[in-house]
Amino acid sequence: MGLKIDIPKSALLMLHCQNDIVKPEGKFAPSGIADQVAKHNLMEKWMAVIKASRDAGLRVVYVSNVFRPGFPELAGRVFPLMRGTKEFGAFIRGTWGAAIPDEIKPLPDEIIIENYNSSAFSYTDLDLILRANGIGYLFLAGVATTFVVNSTARYGAELGYEITVLEDCCTAFSDEMHDFEVTKVLPHFGTVSGSADFMAALADR
Amino acid sequence: MGLKIDIPKSALLMLHCQNDIVKPEGKFAPSGIADQVAKHNLMEKWMAVIKASRDAGLRVVYVSNVFRPGFPELAGRVFPLMRGTKEFGAFIRGTWGAAIPDEIKPLPDEIIIENYNSSAFSYTDLDLILRANGIGYLFLAGVATTFVVNSTARYGAELGYEITVLEDCCTAFSDEMHDFEVTKVLPHFGTVSGSADFMAALADR
Amino acid sequence: MGLKIDIPKSALLMLHCQNDIVKPEGKFAPSGIADQVAKHNLMEKWMAVIKASRDAGLRVVYVSNVFRPGFPELAGRVFPLMRGTKEFGAFIRGTWGAAIPDEIKPLPDEIIIENYNSSAFSYTDLDLILRANGIGYLFLAGVATTFVVNSTARYGAELGYEITVLEDCCTAFSDEMHDFEVTKVLPHFGTVSGSADFMAALADR
Amino acid sequence: MGLKIDIPKSALLMLHCQNDIVKPEGKFAPSGIADQVAKHNLMEKWMAVIKASRDAGLRVVYVSNVFRPGFPELAGRVFPLMRGTKEFGAFIRGTWGAAIPDEIKPLPDEIIIENYNSSAFSYTDLDLILRANGIGYLFLAGVATTFVVNSTARYGAELGYEITVLEDCCTAFSDEMHDFEVTKVLPHFGTVSGSADFMAALADR
């Protein structure tokens, strides 16, 4: 059964697609994500869903993991995932590593939300901007499935957003972790779909 | 290596341990959780960690899933997990199903937080109360591992709480789901420990 | 010019209209609010706007200031307004003082939100419930203008709610404080209107 | 009686001290604030409290009102104060108007929080950063007393911060509005003090 998309009320969220995590030279690459991105051709898939969204007039919103130099955000009790970020020195504002890759670069009028937690909603203005623009349906793409994608699905669902995870536009530290999330966990918080269905629905409006 | 507990700065969170989900007669029992609770003797384990906490002067805080009659909280877009709750008619305020079982009943001065999302922090006063009481370390027990435990670990870690999940005091729809969370996911958000270590640390102060 | 009301998208918020603050026998009466309530016949005005709202099918939502016995919510740094509450021993859950007066008692299916800050939105589920029910327009009545009314107008406006303060259904520690808020401050956060216009708009639908 | 300052647990918040609002050429100057800033020599006072804070090792945090081009943040229901901002075209990210004046420019390692509401806490990471750094005492300076200062005092007090407003380092649309806030309203949410006492306390450590 086909996915239906109410374009003005929807947004594609590109989550943590930044050089430090998706490129082999990135500081967070040792986590294994960059290899998974390459193995599953995610960059090409992201380019395709972004182009299809723009062509259809669907809003694209980027969420980037950004820290101030010196990591004052992580001065207190820090959970293991974030300790990694701090040790790698990744995602510092203004650096190449924190930037979104050229291949999927935002247009000048597209919104970038900066966060530094695992959820895109946590202590950011994402909810406020989506609300102000009447958006209620979110399509999620990015890395990692276990972290920003899962957390954003959870928090977003609780806030009343209808969540669709574009499963082949996400990856995790391993296929096992990704597969578990998309088959066992995320279906409880929304719909799990593929980018082909998403693009078909956008074309068929 | 032993767990250390700073008692006045810590709390045991009992998450969604309510009749509707942990008892075979409960409305949410068809989800399979009640069977898992029985299979793993969780009620006995909860009784033990609660008693050990009270004996040591560690604060016990309960978080209960509670809805108003008619589910006005779920009048809008509702995610699959919550649709189940609504269909089962579970967790209605004031009913037996929403109550905490007698075996693990709160003392008169213990705090009960009411929530209706998967995180104990989302749109509740939990963070405010913990802060006001100088609490920074949380020990989590309850059901389900995939939902309230995982979400509370995620949100709590982001807020700066140090999280310890008492793995043998939690369960999920299946052992597979529980095991995946405690081995692969939750260690990124905090520490996974067992109730024996927790009780030993409480005794050894 | 007439007020227009989109009834299914609107709610009347009755803010902190509780025995402890509006009745001469209430524990917070020494603050002077109870006298102001009597002087301005607020009880009669509240009864009238509640009746007009119910007759028109406009949702009435109550927000009550409620503390657990012993005030664990106020165990930390407490601001002067709340120190007063604690010293008076006011608004304890389950007491007559925390209850809503019989004259303006909620119907069984009307929602009561419990808060313990000056804003109705702060660490409560109010925003979530309003959202889930598609409500975007809020009409405020209650006490005190300077505290819960002002804070709820500020927080609500920031969240994207359109705020109308029913000025003759609010009062403060003194007429001077009330008048300052409704003439100088609140117009920056919404519309200041009177209950006669509100009831006329409800009748004229 | 003298003010006491626990320096490592405290911060000076410089609120909305930006060219568009404090300089006569600024886009928000027609509001009257720039004239009030000049009349009360606020720039000199801000320079003094910032210097005294830095000399004493007290953290200075800036909060700036910043909008994306086109004001996507204000696409929905917008309250009157913000309608003014949008009409004036003020506070656009990257413009001179949104920048902090050279006289009181942040040092490279000082934190700037971007907000676009009247509270510095609303949908920003301010609370998270303060918490992570163990800060519980806030000293407020900036414009306008009625808006960002009042809202930040309210929200901050609710979150458990102890608030001190440096009254001669704040101003509003008029002296009447400023005076009302500092004498009648703000004392309910914290302490109202003067910059001389603040600097004396910093010197006397």
Side-chain angles (χ1 to χ4, degrees):
Chain A
M1 201 206 60
L3 197 61
K4 292 259 182 198
I5 303 180
D6 183 345
I7 289 179
K9 295 192 178 161
S10 300
L12 171 65
L13 298 192
M14 297 298 305
L15 301 167
H16 292 182
C17 301
Q18 301 167 257
N19 288 317
D20 262 346
I21 187 168
V22 305
K23 296 280 187 178
E25 309 84 2
K27 294 194 165 166
F28 208 78
S31 69
I33 299 274
D35 287 345
Q36 292 288 106
V37 167
K39 172 178 165 190
H40 294 292
N41 296 312
L42 285 202
M43 191 63 80
E44 289 68 28
K45 288 175 185 158
W46 292 336
M47 291 168 70
V49 291
I50 290 171
K51 183 177 185 318
S53 297
R54 289 176 182 159
D55 288 350
L58 183 93
R59 192 183 282 264
V60 182
V61 176
Y62 293 77
V63 178
S64 288
N65 206 5
V66 180
F67 294 87
R68 294 170 180 84
F71 293 97
E73 303 87 355
L74 303 181
R77 284 185 289 261
V78 173
F79 54 105
L81 180 66
M82 291 292 146
R83 278 206 289 277
T85 295
K86 201 171 170 179
E87 283 161 18
F88 288 138
F91 306 119
I92 300 293
R93 182 176 289 162
T95 64
W96 171 84
I100 293 161
D102 286 344
E103 298 91 323
I104 55 170
K105 183 159 74 175
L107 298 180
D109 66 338
E110 286 174 343
I111 288 171
I112 305 173
I113 302 286
E114 297 188 344
N115 85 331
Y116 50 82
N117 271 309
S118 92
S119 159
F121 286 105
S122 179
Y123 287 88
T124 71
D125 57 351
L126 177 59
D127 182 40
L128 217 51
I129 284 199
L130 295 176
R131 253 195 227 222
N133 289 279
I135 291 172
Y137 302 89
L138 301 179
F139 294 85
L140 311 190
V143 290
T145 321
T146 324
F147 303 122
V148 71
V149 175
N150 180 312
S151 291
T152 303
R154 280 176 195 261
Y155 287 52
E158 294 192 356
L159 292 167
Y161 294 97
E162 191 165 317
I163 303 292
T164 302
V165 175
L166 302 178
E167 63 167 319
D168 58 339
C169 292
C170 302
T171 192
F173 289 172
S174 68
D175 287 347
E176 182 200 13
M177 288 180 75
H178 172 79
D179 292 346
F180 193 85
E181 294 291 343
V182 298
T183 59
K184 301 286 183 179
V185 179
L186 291 168
H188 294 285
F189 294 100
T191 301
V192 175
S193 183
S195 61
D197 284 352
F198 173 68
M199 291 189 291
L202 286 177
D204 178 38
R205 66 191 188 277
Chain B
M1 198 206 62
L3 196 61
K4 291 258 182 199
I5 302 180
D6 183 345
I7 288 178
K9 295 191 178 164
S10 300
L12 170 65
L13 298 192
M14 296 299 304
L15 301 167
H16 292 183
C17 300
Q18 300 165 259
N19 288 317
D20 262 345
I21 187 167
V22 306
K23 295 281 185 175
E25 309 83 1
K27 293 195 166 166
F28 207 78
S31 69
I33 299 273
D35 287 346
Q36 293 288 107
V37 167
K39 173 178 165 190
H40 294 291
N41 297 311
L42 286 201
M43 191 63 80
E44 290 66 29
K45 288 175 185 158
W46 293 335
M47 291 168 70
V49 291
I50 290 170
K51 182 175 187 318
S53 298
R54 288 176 183 159
D55 288 349
L58 183 94
R59 191 184 283 264
V60 182
V61 176
Y62 293 77
V63 178
S64 287
N65 206 5
V66 180
F67 295 87
R68 293 169 180 86
F71 293 98
E73 303 86 355
L74 303 181
R77 283 184 289 261
V78 173
F79 54 105
L81 180 65
M82 290 295 147
R83 276 205 291 276
T85 296
K86 203 173 169 176
E87 284 161 17
F88 289 136
F91 306 119
I92 299 293
R93 180 176 293 160
T95 63
W96 171 84
I100 294 161
D102 287 343
E103 298 91 322
I104 55 171
K105 186 160 69 174
L107 298 180
D109 66 338
E110 286 174 342
I111 287 171
I112 305 174
I113 301 286
E114 296 189 344
N115 85 331
Y116 50 85
N117 272 309
S118 90
S119 161
F121 288 104
S122 179
Y123 288 88
T124 71
D125 56 350
L126 177 59
D127 181 40
L128 217 52
I129 284 199
L130 294 176
R131 255 195 225 221
N133 290 280
I135 291 172
Y137 301 90
L138 302 179
F139 294 85
L140 311 191
V143 289
T145 322
T146 324
F147 303 121
V148 72
V149 176
N150 179 313
S151 291
T152 302
R154 283 175 192 260
Y155 288 52
E158 294 193 357
L159 291 167
Y161 294 97
E162 191 165 317
I163 303 293
T164 303
V165 176
L166 301 178
E167 62 167 320
D168 58 339
C169 291
C170 301
T171 191
F173 290 171
S174 67
D175 288 348
E176 182 200 12
M177 288 182 76
H178 172 80
D179 292 346
F180 192 86
E181 295 291 342
V182 298
T183 57
K184 302 285 182 175
V185 178
L186 291 168
H188 294 285
F189 294 100
T191 301
V192 174
S193 183
S195 61
D197 284 352
F198 173 70
M199 291 188 292
L202 286 177
D204 177 39
R205 64 191 189 279
Chain C
M1 200 206 60
L3 197 60
K4 291 259 181 197
I5 302 180
D6 183 345
I7 288 177
K9 295 192 178 161
S10 300
L12 171 65
L13 298 192
M14 297 298 305
L15 301 167
H16 293 182
C17 300
Q18 300 165 258
N19 288 318
D20 262 347
I21 186 168
V22 306
K23 295 280 186 178
E25 308 82 5
K27 293 194 167 167
F28 208 77
S31 69
I33 299 273
D35 287 345
Q36 292 290 106
V37 166
K39 172 177 164 189
H40 293 292
N41 297 309
L42 285 200
M43 192 61 81
E44 289 69 27
K45 288 175 185 158
W46 292 335
M47 292 168 69
V49 293
I50 290 170
K51 181 175 187 321
S53 298
R54 289 175 182 160
D55 288 349
L58 183 94
R59 194 184 280 264
V60 181
V61 176
Y62 293 77
V63 178
S64 287
N65 206 6
V66 180
F67 294 87
R68 293 169 181 86
F71 293 98
E73 304 87 354
L74 304 180
R77 283 184 289 261
V78 173
F79 53 104
L81 180 65
M82 290 294 146
R83 277 206 289 276
T85 295
K86 201 171 170 178
E87 284 161 17
F88 289 137
F91 306 119
I92 300 294
R93 182 177 289 161
T95 64
W96 171 85
I100 294 161
D102 287 342
E103 299 91 320
I104 55 170
K105 185 160 70 175
L107 298 180
D109 66 338
E110 287 174 342
I111 288 171
I112 305 173
I113 302 286
E114 297 189 344
N115 85 332
Y116 51 82
N117 271 309
S118 91
S119 161
F121 287 104
S122 179
Y123 287 88
T124 72
D125 58 350
L126 177 60
D127 182 40
L128 217 52
I129 284 200
L130 295 176
R131 256 195 224 221
N133 289 279
I135 291 172
Y137 301 90
L138 301 179
F139 294 85
L140 310 190
V143 290
T145 322
T146 323
F147 303 121
V148 72
V149 176
N150 179 312
S151 291
T152 302
R154 283 176 192 259
Y155 288 51
E158 293 192 358
L159 291 167
Y161 293 97
E162 190 165 316
I163 303 292
T164 302
V165 176
L166 301 178
E167 62 166 320
D168 58 338
C169 290
C170 302
T171 192
F173 290 171
S174 68
D175 288 347
E176 181 199 13
M177 288 182 75
H178 172 79
D179 292 346
F180 193 85
E181 295 292 342
V182 298
T183 58
K184 301 286 183 178
V185 179
L186 291 168
H188 293 285
F189 293 100
T191 300
V192 174
S193 184
S195 61
D197 284 353
F198 174 68
M199 291 189 290
L202 285 178
D204 177 38
R205 64 191 190 280
Chain D
M1 200 206 61
L3 197 61
K4 291 258 182 201
I5 302 180
D6 183 345
I7 289 178
K9 294 193 179 162
S10 301
L12 171 65
L13 297 192
M14 297 298 304
L15 300 167
H16 292 183
C17 300
Q18 301 166 258
N19 289 317
D20 262 346
I21 188 168
V22 306
K23 296 280 185 173
E25 310 82 2
K27 292 194 166 166
F28 207 77
S31 69
I33 299 274
D35 287 346
Q36 293 289 107
V37 167
K39 173 178 164 188
H40 294 291
N41 296 311
L42 286 201
M43 191 63 81
E44 289 69 27
K45 288 175 185 155
W46 292 336
M47 292 169 69
V49 291
I50 289 170
K51 183 176 186 316
S53 297
R54 288 175 183 159
D55 288 350
L58 182 92
R59 192 183 281 264
V60 182
V61 176
Y62 293 77
V63 178
S64 287
N65 206 5
V66 181
F67 294 88
R68 293 169 179 85
F71 293 98
E73 302 88 353
L74 303 181
R77 283 185 289 261
V78 174
F79 53 104
L81 181 66
M82 290 293 147
R83 278 206 288 277
T85 296
K86 201 171 171 180
E87 283 162 17
F88 288 138
F91 305 119
I92 299 293
R93 182 177 289 161
T95 64
W96 171 83
I100 294 161
D102 287 343
E103 297 92 321
I104 55 171
K105 185 160 71 176
L107 298 180
D109 66 339
E110 286 173 344
I111 288 171
I112 305 175
I113 302 286
E114 297 189 344
N115 84 332
Y116 51 84
N117 271 310
S118 90
S119 161
F121 287 103
S122 179
Y123 288 87
T124 72
D125 57 350
L126 177 60
D127 182 40
L128 218 51
I129 284 199
L130 295 176
R131 256 196 225 220
N133 290 278
I135 291 172
Y137 301 90
L138 302 179
F139 294 85
L140 312 190
V143 290
T145 322
T146 324
F147 303 121
V148 72
V149 176
N150 179 312
S151 292
T152 302
R154 282 175 194 260
Y155 288 51
E158 294 191 356
L159 291 167
Y161 294 97
E162 190 165 317
I163 303 292
T164 303
V165 175
L166 302 178
E167 63 167 321
D168 58 338
C169 291
C170 301
T171 191
F173 289 173
S174 67
D175 288 348
E176 182 201 12
M177 288 180 76
H178 171 79
D179 292 346
F180 193 85
E181 295 291 343
V182 299
T183 57
K184 301 286 182 176
V185 178
L186 291 168
H188 294 285
F189 293 100
T191 301
V192 175
S193 183
S195 60
D197 284 352
F198 173 69
M199 293 189 290
L202 286 177
D204 177 39
R205 65 191 188 277

